[in-house]
């Protein structure tokens, strides 16, 4: 599978799972006994295994993926971060942005998660779901 220049390991794995017809990335990893948690932690061995599975260059994949440096420190490209940088307490989305990318997703989001949400100028910049 072709690896896009700025595509991190987690995105490549997601595409690989979809290409394989799996209902989810987690199911795909379970079916082929692929170590998903080490990949999301940025462990070098897991990134190498994914590169081999996808048939892409491991160095290119490592360069654009989160890499664990030890003791709660990570690197993404030329930036460094601590474990706290990756923690999210809430998921926030901008309905207008979602609509621009996938119109059908907004319809579902509005109908099921955001009843009464406005999807026009003047709407709040983000809504919790």
């Amino acid at each position: 599978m072709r690896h896009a220049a700025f595509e991190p390991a987690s995105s490549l794995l997601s595409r690989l799972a979809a290409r394989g017809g799996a209902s989810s990335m987690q199911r795909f990893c379970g079916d082929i006994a692929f170590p998903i948690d080490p990949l999301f932690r940025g462990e070098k061995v897991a990134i190498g295994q994914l590169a081999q599975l996808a048939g892409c260059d491991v160095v290119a994949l490592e360069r654009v993926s989160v890499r664990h440096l030890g003791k709660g420190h990570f690197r993404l490209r030329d930036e460094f971060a601590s474990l706290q940088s990756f923690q999210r307490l809430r998921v926030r989305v901008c309905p207008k942005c979602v609509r621009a990318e996938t119109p059908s997703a907004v319809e579902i989001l509005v109908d099921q998660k955001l009843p009464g949400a406005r999807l026009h100028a003047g709407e709040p910049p983000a809504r919790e779901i």
Side-chain angles (χ1 to χ4, degrees):
M1 171 175 275
R2 187 173 172 271
H3 171 244
F6 293 101
E7 182 178 39
S10 56
S11 296
L12 177 62
L13 180 59
S14 180
R15 274 196 318 121
L16 196 59
R19 183 179 179 190
S23 60
S24 72
M25 184 177 9
Q26 291 78 7
R27 170 136 341 211
F28 176 75
C29 290
D31 289 347
I32 65 168
F34 185 84
I36 191 170
D37 290 335
L39 182 77
F40 285 140
R41 284 193 302 267
E43 295 181 13
K44 184 177 179 126
V45 171
I47 293 171
Q49 290 172 332
L50 177 61
Q52 183 178 16
L53 182 65
C56 69
D57 180 43
V58 68
V59 174
L61 186 58
E62 283 178 349
R63 187 175 24 246
V64 296
S65 298
V66 172
R67 286 290 319 282
H68 184 242
L69 303 175
K71 296 185 180 181
H73 292 87
F74 298 84
R75 186 193 87 226
L76 176 58
R77 296 185 183 98
D78 295 328
E79 301 295 325
F80 295 89
S82 66
L83 186 59
Q84 291 79 17
S85 301
F86 296 103
Q87 294 178 351
R88 293 182 187 94
L89 300 177
R90 296 177 287 200
V91 175
R92 297 176 61 89
V93 299
C94 169
K96 198 170 187 178
C97 296
V98 173
R99 174 197 246 174
E101 294 203 10
T102 53
S104 61
V106 168
E107 294 166 9
I108 293 167
L109 182 68
V110 171
D111 292 343
Q112 295 178 1
K113 300 286 185 184
L114 304 173
R118 293 176 295 147
L119 296 176
H120 306 286
E123 69 182 291
R127 302 277 307 247
E128 290 181 24
I129 58 172

